[in-house]
Amino acid sequence: MSFFGYRSSSSRSTQQETHLSELERLRGRQLASLVRAGGRAKNQQQTTFEVPVADTSRGPLTLQLQLPAQFPVKVPQLKASIPVQHRWLDATGTVQGHPDLNKWTAHSDLGRIITEIVTELRTVANSASASKPPASPARSSSPAPTASLSPYPGSRSSYASSGRPSPQAQVQPSKPQAQDTNKLQRSQMPVIPAIFPELEELSLAQIEKLNSDKHALKTFVKELPSVKEFTQLRDDVLHSNMGIAKTTLGYESELRELQEVVEAQRTELRAAQQALAEKQARQQRIVAVRSISSVTYES
């Protein structure tokens, strides 16, 4: 308060800072509750989250959250990745009918709301998959025989094909390796959080202990959900790389055999080319002799 009874600019700025810090504290609590409910941040700003629900025949069902800029004052937007029939969802899959979302306040428990919605969606997905009739087994049909052109019996290609299998017939890539590669390509680096809502739940003494005790800080960091997710992803990638490396090394003996086959075929090819060159030279000599004979006969 100034001398003339008006509020000074410093007092107004202090109130604004207090209001912003209170909003940040409420936002941190809401994010911590969301993470405990299974929410995973999809961007660096932590405005888009995703909560896995269930695996369906149409793909993975997830609950997608979009936090507005005025969150937690403004209500978050929730939407199912796959539209399902439920009283809380509209035709596009947007959550509209949850009672706590309709009367949302900054002090609402977002984690509890997410848990209730996920439970309902999981029940609907499981009941839909259980009521779906089992697929009829496909009729087994023997593959049609493929036509093949056999070379001339006296040719070298016939001898080579009958004596040794072709490299194309020997090389058969394994399907598990392709599946592991596809799985590895779908791996996504987890988003590094900009803030850590878990710190909001700690007391001042606990924060001071983390600041002074490196061992306690390391233990606290290892228990963070984002760190656990990154560690699990790292272990999965290492395990997948090890499996691919072992599978690749398993082809070493087969590749050596194929290399010997290729070298033998190269030797046969050089011999065939030399024989062809000799026959062509002989043909040219015969043609030249016949040409001279015909000219002499005409003269």
Side-chain angles (χ1 to χ4, degrees):
M1 186 73 68
S2 65
F3 178 77
F4 296 99
Y6 296 101
R7 294 183 180 272
S8 61
S9 59
S10 61
S11 62
R12 288 196 298 269
S13 62
T14 303
Q15 290 180 355
Q16 291 177 357
E17 292 176 357
T18 304
H19 179 68
L20 292 177
S21 62
E22 179 66 17
L23 288 180
E24 288 295 331
R25 186 181 65 83
L26 292 176
R27 177 184 174 86
R29 284 188 175 182
Q30 295 289 358
L31 291 180
S33 179
L34 174 59
V35 171
R36 286 195 299 269
R40 295 180 297 184
K42 303 299 291 183
N43 58 354
Q44 186 69 30
Q45 294 76 19
Q46 290 188 332
T47 57
T48 304
F49 284 80
E50 185 180 63
V51 182
V53 178
D55 292 332
T56 65
S57 58
R58 293 183 293 173
L61 174 61
T62 59
L63 183 63
Q64 301 173 354
L65 288 82
Q66 186 68 33
L67 305 182
Q70 295 81 11
F71 179 80
V73 178
K74 296 293 184 179
V75 58
Q77 299 177 1
L78 283 68
K79 184 177 181 180
S81 60
I82 301 176
V84 295
Q85 294 183 356
H86 194 273
R87 63 183 185 278
W88 290 347
L89 274 64
D90 59 7
T92 61
T94 304
V95 180
Q96 298 285 353
H98 194 280
D100 291 338
L101 285 179
N102 296 334
K103 51 182 180 180
W104 171 267
T105 64
H107 300 279
S108 300
D109 190 352
L110 180 58
R112 180 182 58 81
I113 297 174
I114 295 301
T115 303
E116 294 177 356
I117 297 175
V118 168
T119 302
E120 290 289 330
L121 294 180
R122 186 174 291 123
T123 302
V124 173
N126 293 335
S127 61
S129 60
S131 61
K132 183 178 179 180
S136 59
R139 296 180 179 178
S140 60
S141 58
S142 59
T146 57
S148 60
L149 297 178
S150 59
Y152 188 75
S155 61
R156 290 182 176 268
S157 59
S158 173
Y159 173 76
S161 61
S162 61
R164 298 183 182 90
S166 62
Q168 291 82 358
Q170 292 185 2
V171 179
Q172 295 180 356
S174 59
K175 295 182 180 179
Q177 181 182 2
Q179 294 177 358
D180 293 341
T181 305
N182 294 334
K183 182 179 180 181
L184 182 61
Q185 292 176 354
R186 290 195 298 267
S187 300
Q188 183 179 1
M189 182 72 178
V191 178
I192 301 176
I195 59 176
F196 297 92
E198 293 81 4
L199 294 175
E200 297 289 339
E201 302 178 357
L202 300 180
S203 62
L204 181 60
Q206 292 175 333
I207 295 178
E208 291 178 352
K209 179 175 177 59
L210 293 179
N211 190 26
S212 59
D213 190 351
K214 293 184 178 180
H215 179 71
L217 178 61
K218 184 180 295 185
T219 304
F220 175 78
V221 171
K222 287 184 178 180
E223 295 299 325
L224 293 177
S226 56
V227 177
K228 288 184 177 180
E229 182 180 358
F230 177 79
T231 305
Q232 182 64 34
L233 178 60
R234 182 200 61 184
D235 295 340
D236 293 342
V237 172
L238 291 178
H239 180 72
S240 178
N241 290 343
M242 185 179 298
I244 295 175
K246 290 181 179 179
T247 305
T248 304
L249 291 176
Y251 290 122
E252 184 177 4
S253 59
E254 185 177 356
L255 291 176
R256 291 184 183 276
E257 295 177 359
L258 292 177
Q259 187 177 7
E260 294 177 359
V261 172
V262 172
E263 291 297 332
Q265 291 181 351
R266 285 180 178 176
T267 303
E268 294 179 359
L269 177 61
R270 286 193 293 266
Q273 290 176 345
Q274 184 178 359
L276 177 61
E278 293 176 356
K279 291 180 179 180
Q280 288 178 346
R282 181 183 176 185
Q283 181 182 10
Q284 291 177 359
R285 289 195 300 269
I286 294 175
V287 171
V289 171
R290 289 185 176 274
S291 299
I292 295 174
S293 300
S294 61
V295 171
T296 305
Y297 177 77
E298 291 177 357
S299 61

